[in-house]
Amino acid sequence: MLALRLTRGARPAVQLRRLLVAAASAGTGFLLLCALGYAIGRPGAPPDSLLRLVWCAVPLAATVYFAVAVARADPGTGPRPGLSALGLGPVRMMAVSATATALTCALGSVAALLVFLHLRGDLTGTPFDGSGTDFLAAGRPLPLPATLTLLTLVPGSASVAVAVALRPREPAGSPSRSGRTAYGRFGAYRATAVRETFGAYGRFGRHLEPAAHGRRPSAARQRTPEEARAHLQAQTQTQTQTQTQQDRLPTGPSGQDPERPPGPDGTASGLRPAAAVPVSGSGSGTAPSGLPWGIAVLAVGLAAGAYASRTGVGAVPGERPGALAGPVLAAVGLALAGPGLTHLCGRLLQSVRPGALRLLAGRLLMTEATRIGRPLGVVCAVLSGAYALGSLYYTDGRPAGPLALLGVFLVIGCTVATLLTAAVEARQAHAGTTAALLRLGAPSSTPRRAAALRAGALLALFGPLTVIVAHLSGLSPAP
């Protein structure tokens, strides 16, 4: 019920993204049902039916990927302060996101079933005079268990993927990661990496004493009672003098220094909250680690494609596994290298005496290298793979069928929509930085100019790279 209320009360942009997820789920469900109809209509050709079902895994993966991106960018199902007291903690909100995703994909699966039954003629008669119904198995009954299994494949996969992607994660410095907790008869015991000497906790205040000269707390020198008393008196006197000096300062009616101009929110300009200041070094100091692996896999894929085109193995696509493995490996390499290439693009933007606009655009690219680079690499991989596979499978000039075109349209549309969703999510994440720049007096066109500069830099790097990889991996075999 909560998932339905959050779905109904979302903003129009969120509703549009969910409708796109439902449409992608409908297209994938229709392809799965068509594979089932082809298997029913041709019971004597199991390999061809299995091959069609395997090819449906690519649109299924693209749909699940898009559903995860939409669920991550949904502001209504994210953890917010105050909801844990109502029983809506991170785990509950994760379950709500998974449920909402399952409902959206289930709506698309129902629409796919209705369209499939309509084309078969089970609802209002066979349309289009019965032409092109070889993959619909018209006039033959559909097995109910197989139909339900295929229709629940998309909602189930999407909800599980959303639950795994949005599961609560413990911070890196949490106590549960630094030590092992054992539960016995009289409570919990924690085994830590720092060992204490014998009798360390028997001495009063021994575990509270700070480390001296880089040694462990257990090796620091004990203070005598006279030294401890003198240290306490010195601290008390220092605090008293500081409080007296602050009380003597002239303050305005609101309790702040009159010589310090107030900020736009009524606070002093030097006491601005830390969240309003743009953080320039968060996540931009280290490059993503997938660039070497991506380049290696891309090189292996191009080498496999070049070897297959030189040797000319096979005359039909099914007899060219090497030629098929080349574009697939090249596409995987592009997807792996996407975040690293985006980080490199941001670094190149800041080179050779950059101005403020180039610094801002490059720093944001480096910060959002993983968030933007991964879907961008997937888009480039899909485009290059589609061109390469099309040049390998349709070398004789025969046109592609409607189901093949539908599958290609689904995969490209889902990946491009995932990239746009990631861009919207990055814009929401940097809304505070944009507001801080505008408060500091930057022109209102600065964020748009920086976004255009980032888009142009990414297009200049990934565009020619995608064309080159697609051309090299789509070389036809030699006769």
Side-chain angles (χ1 to χ4, degrees), residues 13 29 45 62-63 91 114 161 194 206 217 247 280 315 356-357 368 374 381 411 417:
T63 303
V91 178
L114 293 178
V194 180
R206 182 67 185 86
D247 294 340
S280 60
L357 188 63
E368 300 295 333
R374 184 176 291 116
V411 174

Side-chain angles (χ1 to χ4, degrees), residues 285-367:
T286 58
S289 58
L291 183 59
W293 291 102
I295 294 176
V297 176
L298 177 61
V300 171
L302 293 179
Y307 177 77
S309 64
R310 184 174 62 88
T311 55
V313 279
V316 297
E319 299 176 0
R320 296 199 299 264
L324 181 62
V328 172
L329 288 177
V332 172
L334 270 180
L336 289 177
L341 291 177
T342 304
H343 190 276
L344 178 62
C345 185
R347 188 174 293 276
L348 291 178
L349 267 180
Q350 304 175 73
S351 60
V352 193
R353 303 178 63 180
L357 188 63
R358 288 171 55 193
L359 278 175
L360 178 62
R363 182 63 63 175
L364 286 179
L365 268 185
M366 294 173 65
T367 304

Side-chain angles (χ1 to χ4, degrees), residues 116 164 382 426 435 444 463:
F116 185 75
V164 171
V382 166
S444 59

Side-chain angles (χ1 to χ4, degrees), residues 152-465:
T152 56
L153 190 59
V154 180
S157 303
S159 60
V160 170
V162 168
V164 171
L166 301 183
R167 69 186 185 276
R169 294 178 176 86
E170 296 181 357
S174 60
S176 61
R177 296 179 180 268
S178 60
R180 185 181 68 256
T181 304
Y183 297 93
R185 296 178 58 187
F186 300 100
Y189 301 91
R190 183 174 298 278
T192 58
V194 180
R195 299 293 181 181
E196 297 290 346
T197 58
F198 178 76
Y201 281 88
R203 295 187 293 270
F204 178 75
R206 182 67 185 86
H207 61 286
L208 300 177
E209 188 175 2
H213 304 290
R215 295 177 295 176
R216 294 186 306 173
S218 59
R221 186 180 63 85
Q222 277 190 330
R223 292 176 179 172
T224 61
E226 290 79 8
E227 292 177 353
R229 191 179 302 109
H231 181 68
L232 181 60
Q233 291 179 358
Q235 285 184 348
T236 306
Q237 185 177 3
T238 303
Q239 293 177 359
T240 305
Q241 293 177 358
T242 304
Q243 184 66 29
T244 304
Q245 293 177 0
Q246 291 180 357
D247 294 340
R248 290 177 180 178
L249 290 176
T251 57
S254 60
Q256 65 181 17
D257 191 355
E259 297 181 358
R260 178 177 298 168
D265 53 352
T267 60
S269 60
L271 302 176
R272 184 169 298 169
V277 181
V279 181
S280 60
S282 59
S284 60
T286 58
S289 58
L291 183 59
W293 291 102
I295 294 176
V297 176
L298 177 61
V300 171
L302 293 179
Y307 177 77
S309 64
R310 184 174 62 88
T311 55
V313 279
V316 297
E319 299 176 0
R320 296 199 299 264
L324 181 62
V328 172
L329 288 177
V332 172
L334 270 180
L336 289 177
L341 291 177
T342 304
H343 190 276
L344 178 62
C345 185
R347 188 174 293 276
L348 291 178
L349 267 180
Q350 304 175 73
S351 60
V352 193
R353 303 178 63 180
L357 188 63
R358 288 171 55 193
L359 278 175
L360 178 62
R363 182 63 63 175
L364 286 179
L365 268 185
M366 294 173 65
T367 304
E368 300 295 333
T370 302
R371 185 179 303 181
I372 298 295
R374 184 176 291 116
L376 182 58
V378 172
V379 168
C380 296
V382 166
L383 293 178
S384 63
Y387 175 80
L389 293 179
S391 62
L392 289 175
Y393 273 72
Y394 300 100
T395 55
D396 53 353
R398 56 190 178 95
L403 295 182
L405 293 178
L406 176 61
V408 171
F409 177 76
L410 268 177
V411 174
I412 295 179
C414 287
T415 52
V416 172
T418 303
L419 177 60
L420 297 178
T421 305
V424 172
E425 185 182 2
R427 181 182 178 183
Q428 294 174 356
H430 290 281
T433 303
T434 305
L437 288 175
L438 296 179
R439 285 198 302 268
L440 290 175
S444 59
S445 61
T446 299
R448 294 190 296 270
R449 293 170 59 192
L453 184 60
R454 292 195 302 270
L458 290 176
L459 184 62
L461 177 62
F462 281 90
L465 179 63

